[in-house]
Amino acid sequence: DVKVTQSSRYLVKRTGEKVFLECVQDMDHENMFWYRQDPGLGLRLIYFSYDVKMKEKGDIPEGYSVSREKKERFSLILESASTNQTSMYLCASRSSQPQHFGDGTRLSIL
Amino acid sequence: QKEVEQDPGPLSVPEGAIVSLNCTYSNSAFQYFMWYRQYSRKGPELLMYTYSSGNKEDGRFTAQVDKSSKYISLFIRDSQPSDSATYLCAMTRLNSNSGYALNFGKGTSLLVTP
């Protein structure tokens, strides 16, 4: 079974902090994705990566960056956290279809 | 127009009922169609995946794709309280390593009552 692990289930941070969300997959997948999920808005793509050190912007990249130094690990970085970044963050990976998701990180910015 | 439309519900049915969940889409380039189930405070879990028109069955679940009408459905037979969750449809254009992401519906909340 595919395993996508997000390092934290719940996280509370303060505005202005730099926040790191980590995601690890164990299936040697090339592609990895970061989404955020908000009530009424559904899942929205922030960034994705199709190879080590490669990244592409998704639909809502503003205020975020990513890092992929190793194939199995994809990090999402909030450069200066703001309250409107309070959300559920979901990581996914795939080789071909379909995508497999982690259990999410519920991030609160105070 | 949103690329993928899905009625958010909530949909409430009695145990044992047949449930029908639906999505419509506007982009005829979509080729791969998925249904995910998401329990509260958990990530989406893949239920069904298909890339062709027609029906695909897996136990109590049947996924149906009608590309001519741009309409997909998920049927749940003999629904159980454990089926209570949010169901997300998703679709994408290519099956390649180019990193094409999924286009999601907003999810339908289902409650199966004992």
Side-chain angles (χ1 to χ4, degrees), chain A residues 97-109:
Chain A
Q97 297 298 345
Q99 290 184 21
H100 298 271
F101 285 85
D103 273 339
T105 296
R106 188 165 292 278
L107 175 64
S108 295
I109 308 296

Side-chain angles (χ1 to χ4, degrees), chain A residues 9-10 30-31 33 35 37 40-43 45 48-50 56 88 90 94-104 106, chain B residues 32 34 36 38 40-46 49 86 88 92-107:
Chain A
R9 291 296 306 277
Y10 301 94
E30 292 84 4
N31 302 291
F33 306 82
Y35 296 86
Q37 185 176 31
L41 297 177
L43 276 86
L45 181 66
F48 66 92
S49 168
Y50 52 90
E56 293 283 347
M88 171 75 137
L90 290 161
R94 69 162 205 183
S95 177
S96 55
Q97 297 298 345
Q99 290 184 21
H100 298 271
F101 285 85
D103 273 339
R106 188 165 292 278
Chain B
Y32 296 89
M34 284 142 262
Y36 287 86
Q38 187 175 22
S40 181
R41 296 186 178 85
K42 300 280 281 184
E45 166 196 5
L46 181 70
Y49 158 56
T86 297
L88 301 161
T92 189
R93 287 164 284 174
L94 285 177
N95 182 24
S96 74
N97 290 333
S98 66
Y100 274 34
L102 293 175
N103 294 270
F104 282 91
K106 291 184 180 178

Side-chain angles (χ1 to χ4, degrees), chain B residues 25-42:
Chain B
Y25 62 96
S26 57
N27 190 340
S28 58
F30 288 145
Q31 299 177 19
Y32 296 89
F33 304 91
M34 284 142 262
W35 284 97
Y36 287 86
R37 177 176 62 196
Q38 187 175 22
Y39 291 115
S40 181
R41 296 186 178 85
K42 300 280 281 184

